[in-house]
């Protein structure tokens, strides 16, 4: 493939990508100006146009974050506040002049970690069939993307809220305006993401300014109720000021602090807040009355989210990862769960929280430790997902799943189908590195079959709105409150009616958003 064939003109200037054995890649394309200096904690603005042809053959910088061996960001990937870039992946088999549906990926990482450059998100497998054009997005993380300083704004110093959400909206606007030049159809965009990325997806389904920018949505393990109000946002901001030693009356000085200091303070609060307030995150989307009008789960419950098809689900053993990490991100002990319920009762007295014994009755026969993990799984991920499915199914097709597949090794070490384990199957990247124990005890051939079916369903949903996997696999009907169909993804896919009946009835439908 010649350089001329890989040169594409965007609204900001021409870019030249690379063709790697049939996969075309344009990496690190800026979709917004660097959010630095006076633009730190401001909504994204368009990048400065460039002349000539910009080389986009390597990933752009990841958002500032610590180095974690378990989450490699990619070879030679830098970290910088200048992180607002995206990547386009497409098969060279797409004929010139034709377009394909677009899938836009939002990575996870608890709103503080991750990048589109992670090897896990290598897009070759997803685009090799030529059915879709793929876009993967970087956005601001931690305090840079989720610290709400808007209540400190004055005529001289203005701060915007929900910066990471605004980043993703800006990326979707870039897709709308530019993706046709790369072979993508801007009228057939599926927004998909996992964990924090799934939370961004479900939140943007309730954001008025995002309406029309995507036409289908996929949310994997969305922490849909981890969206907080402006009062809490102010409280976290004040804690952040204390951590950085900046006085309230000099909040503008935060724009002068070094990147490393903001990152250090981000992770100090990231560790502190879930410890003192189990069940809450330091950084997450906020109900600001502007970009996000209301708690997303309340909007879904009223049937007022954007009326687009939704594929949504969780993993069977979500919480096991947090036990393994000894992380306080979600409460998994009896004391922490009890503390969370007590805080909800105080801060949201209008909610009818079911008595603890009634909830625990749904986990009859489960040991104390396993019960804590099950409650954490359901309060953090499964029940919010079911609540969203219940409400949204009244206005648009919803496809609910649960990912149950775990390799023999993961079952042996009691990790199971924990948080994020579905990702390598979705992306078709099962090889891992030399130290990856996933298939140490076998299961690779089954895993490859799981991956093929999962990709087939996700691609089918993105291209035709129907997540079916072809002959030999069960059809996946939409979720309806009369039958509540759920697809269980395992060594063989299975269809269930009201898979979550016991826990759904125990939790009720009123505990919808948490402080």
């Amino acid at each position: 493939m010649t350089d001329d064939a890989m040169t594409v003109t965007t609204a900001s200037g021409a870019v030249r990508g690379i063709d790697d054995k049939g996969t075309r890649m344009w990496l690190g394309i800026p979709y917004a100006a660097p959010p630095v200096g006076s633009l730190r904690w401001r909504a994204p603005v368009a990048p400065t146009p460039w002349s000539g042809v910009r080389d986009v053959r390597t990933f752009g910088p990841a958002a500032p974050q610590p180095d974690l061996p378990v989450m490699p960001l990619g070879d030679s990937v830098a970290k910088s506040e200048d992180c607002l870039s995206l990547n386009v992946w497409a098969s060279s088999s797409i004929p010139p002049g034709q377009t394909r549906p677009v899938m836009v990926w939002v990575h996870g990482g608890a709103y503080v970690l991750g990048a589109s450059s992670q090897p896990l998100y290598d897009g070759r497998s997803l685009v090799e069939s030529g059915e879709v054009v793929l876009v993967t997005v970087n956005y601001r993380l931690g305090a840079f993307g989720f610290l709400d300083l808007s209540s400190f704004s004055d005529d001289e110093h203005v701060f915007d809220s929900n910066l990471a959400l605004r980043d993703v909206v800006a990326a979707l606007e870039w897709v709308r305006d530019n993706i046709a030049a790369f072979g993508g159809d801007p009228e057939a965009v599926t927004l998909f993401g996992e964990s924090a990325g799934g939370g961004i997806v479900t939140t943007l389904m309730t954001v008025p300014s995002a309406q029309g920018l995507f036409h289908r949505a996929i949310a994997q393990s969305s922490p849909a109720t981890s969206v907080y109000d402006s009062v809490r946002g102010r409280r976290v901001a004040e804690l952040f000021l204390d951590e950085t030693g900046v006085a309230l009356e000099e909040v503008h000085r935060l724009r002068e602090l070094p990147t490393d200091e903001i990152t250090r303070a981000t992770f100090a609060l990231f560790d502190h807040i879930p410890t003192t307030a189990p069940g809450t995150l330091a950084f997450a989307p906020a109900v600001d009355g502007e970009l996000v009008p209301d708690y997303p789960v309340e909007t879904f419950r009223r049937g007022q989210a954007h009326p687009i098809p939704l594929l949504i689900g969780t993993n069977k053993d979500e919480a096991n990862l947090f036990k393994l990490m000894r992380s306080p991100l979600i409460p998994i002990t009896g004391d922490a769960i009890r503390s969370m319920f007590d805080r909800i009762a105080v801060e949201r007295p209008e909610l009818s929280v079911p008595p603890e014994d009634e909830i625990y009755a749904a986990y009859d026969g489960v040991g104390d430790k396993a019960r804590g993990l099950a409650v954490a799984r359901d309060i953090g991920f499964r029940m919010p997902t079911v609540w969203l499915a219940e409400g949204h199914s009244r206005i648009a097709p919803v496809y609910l799943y649960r990912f149950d597949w775990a390799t023999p090794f993961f079952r042996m070490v009691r990790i199971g189908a924990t948080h994020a384990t579905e990702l390598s199957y979705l992306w078709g990247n099962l090889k891992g590195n030399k130290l990856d124990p996933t298939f140490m005890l076998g299961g690779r051939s089954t895993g490859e079959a799981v991956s093929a079916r999962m990709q087939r369903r996700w691609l089918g949903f993105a291209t035709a709105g129907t997540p079916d996997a072809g002959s030999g696999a069960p059809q996946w009907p939409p979720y309806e409150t009369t039958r509540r169909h759920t697809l269980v993804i395992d060594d063989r896919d299975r269809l269930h009616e009201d898979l979550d009946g016991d826990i759904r009835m125990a939790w009720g439908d009123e505990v919808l958003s948490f402080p």
Side-chain angles (χ1 to χ4, degrees):
M1 184 64 64
T2 65
D3 283 351
D4 287 345
M6 291 304 300
T7 300
V8 176
T9 300
T10 74
S12 299
V15 295
R16 181 186 296 118
I18 186 171
D19 189 316
D20 182 19
K21 300 177 181 178
T23 300
R24 298 179 180 180
M25 296 174 285
W26 295 266
L27 308 176
I29 304 173
Y31 65 85
V36 299
S38 62
L39 292 180
R40 189 186 267 180
W41 289 300
R42 294 304 312 271
V45 299
T48 301
W50 56 86
S51 58
V53 179
R54 184 175 185 136
D55 191 85
V56 289
R57 305 183 189 202
T58 58
F59 290 107
Q65 58 192 283
D67 293 319
L68 293 179
V70 297
M71 188 178 282
L73 300 179
D75 293 339
S76 303
V77 171
K79 289 179 285 187
S80 169
E81 288 185 66
D82 182 9
C83 62
L84 300 185
S85 66
L86 52 76
N87 318 295
V88 180
W89 307 72
S91 171
S92 57
S93 67
I94 300 176
Q98 293 190 17
T99 59
R100 295 290 186 267
V102 181
M103 297 183 75
V104 178
W105 173 253
V106 187
H107 69 80
Y111 299 114
V112 297
L113 297 166
S116 62
S117 56
Q118 290 174 242
L120 178 61
Y121 306 136
D122 185 295
R124 291 173 176 85
S125 180
L126 272 180
V127 303
E128 67 180 355
S129 67
E131 295 172 83
V132 298
V133 171
L134 172 68
V135 178
T136 58
V137 178
N138 277 357
Y139 55 96
R140 280 174 278 186
L141 299 173
F144 296 107
F146 294 96
L147 185 67
D148 187 359
L149 298 169
S150 59
S151 63
F152 299 108
S153 293
D154 56 30
D155 292 341
E156 186 177 0
H157 303 288
V158 178
F159 301 92
D160 294 313
S161 59
N162 284 309
L163 298 157
L165 296 180
R166 297 178 193 270
D167 292 344
V168 178
V169 169
L172 288 167
E173 291 172 340
W174 185 96
V175 169
R176 177 196 62 197
D177 298 338
N178 295 282
I179 202 62
F182 297 84
D185 182 356
E187 298 300 320
V189 176
T190 296
L191 184 64
F192 71 131
E194 182 267 346
S195 193
I200 289 175
V201 170
T202 53
T203 301
L204 287 181
M205 287 184 68
T206 71
V207 169
S209 61
Q211 187 162 17
L213 294 176
F214 57 104
H215 312 91
R216 298 184 179 103
I218 301 174
Q220 301 167 210
S221 302
S222 169
T225 50
S226 293
V227 180
Y228 308 118
D229 63 18
S230 58
V231 173
R232 184 186 179 280
R234 169 90 182 201
R235 193 161 66 239
V236 172
E238 290 173 350
L239 289 171
F240 191 84
L241 290 170
D242 289 343
E243 182 65 33
T244 55
V246 174
L248 285 174
E249 61 273 15
E250 294 184 314
V251 66
H252 61 278
R253 285 189 49 233
L254 285 175
R255 289 199 166 111
E256 303 167 6
L257 293 184
T259 300
D260 288 348
E261 173 61 10
I262 300 294
T263 304
R264 182 203 64 77
T266 289
F267 282 86
L269 261 67
F270 177 73
D271 291 337
H272 170 72
I273 286 179
T275 302
T276 57
T280 62
L281 300 173
F283 303 102
V287 179
D288 56 9
E290 180 192 356
L291 191 79
V292 183
D294 197 358
Y295 292 105
V297 73
E298 297 281 6
T299 302
F300 272 90
R301 186 189 189 194
R302 294 192 300 266
Q304 294 178 343
H306 303 325
I308 61 175
L310 172 65
L311 190 157
I312 189 168
T314 60
N315 294 358
K316 181 182 180 182
D317 307 302
E318 292 277 5
N320 287 7
L321 174 68
F322 304 99
K323 173 194 68 173
L324 186 69
M325 298 170 61
R326 305 191 187 281
S327 168
L329 282 181
I330 59 175
I332 60 177
T333 66
D335 288 345
I337 292 169
R338 196 166 298 109
S339 174
M340 178 186 68
F341 282 135
D342 291 344
R343 182 174 46 80
I344 292 170
V346 170
E347 298 190 25
R348 296 293 301 279
E350 75 277 12
L351 295 177
S352 298
V353 181
E356 189 175 333
D357 58 346
E358 290 186 14
I359 292 175
Y360 281 170
Y363 307 93
D364 187 39
V366 178
D368 288 344
K369 289 184 179 179
R371 184 174 60 186
L373 290 168
V375 171
R377 170 199 67 199
D378 294 337
I379 195 63
F381 298 101
R382 189 61 187 179
M383 284 314 303
T385 289
V386 171
W387 288 326
L388 263 59
E390 292 270 311
H392 199 62
S393 65
R394 303 201 307 268
I395 62 169
V398 175
Y399 298 91
L400 181 65
Y401 76 87
R402 192 180 75 190
F403 184 85
D404 283 24
W405 163 248
T407 64
F409 177 80
F410 276 12
R411 292 197 298 270
M412 184 192 74
V413 297
R414 299 185 180 181
I415 293 174
T418 193
H419 191 66
T421 51
E422 88 284 9
L423 289 174
S424 59
Y425 300 94
L426 170 62
W427 289 87
N429 296 324
L430 301 182
K431 291 183 180 179
N433 56 49
K434 293 180 180 179
L435 300 178
D436 185 353
T438 303
F439 296 104
M440 182 182 295
L441 299 180
R444 180 176 292 278
S445 61
T446 301
E448 290 173 349
V450 170
S451 176
R453 290 197 307 273
M454 192 171 182
Q455 286 192 338
R456 179 70 265 137
R457 292 189 187 279
W458 265 236
L459 289 169
F461 179 77
T463 56
T466 306
D468 290 324
S471 61
Q475 298 289 301
W476 188 356
Y479 184 94
E480 298 173 347
T481 54
T482 53
R483 301 188 72 178
R484 296 185 170 91
H485 289 295
T486 302
L487 184 77
V488 172
I489 300 172
D490 205 339
D491 55 348
R492 294 187 178 186
D493 293 351
R494 304 183 304 275
L495 195 66
H496 289 259
E497 288 190 18
D498 205 9
L499 178 69
D500 307 293
D502 290 345
I503 64 167
R504 180 178 54 79
M505 289 186 287
W507 284 102
D509 62 358
E510 197 170 355
V511 187
L512 289 171
S513 51
F514 301 102

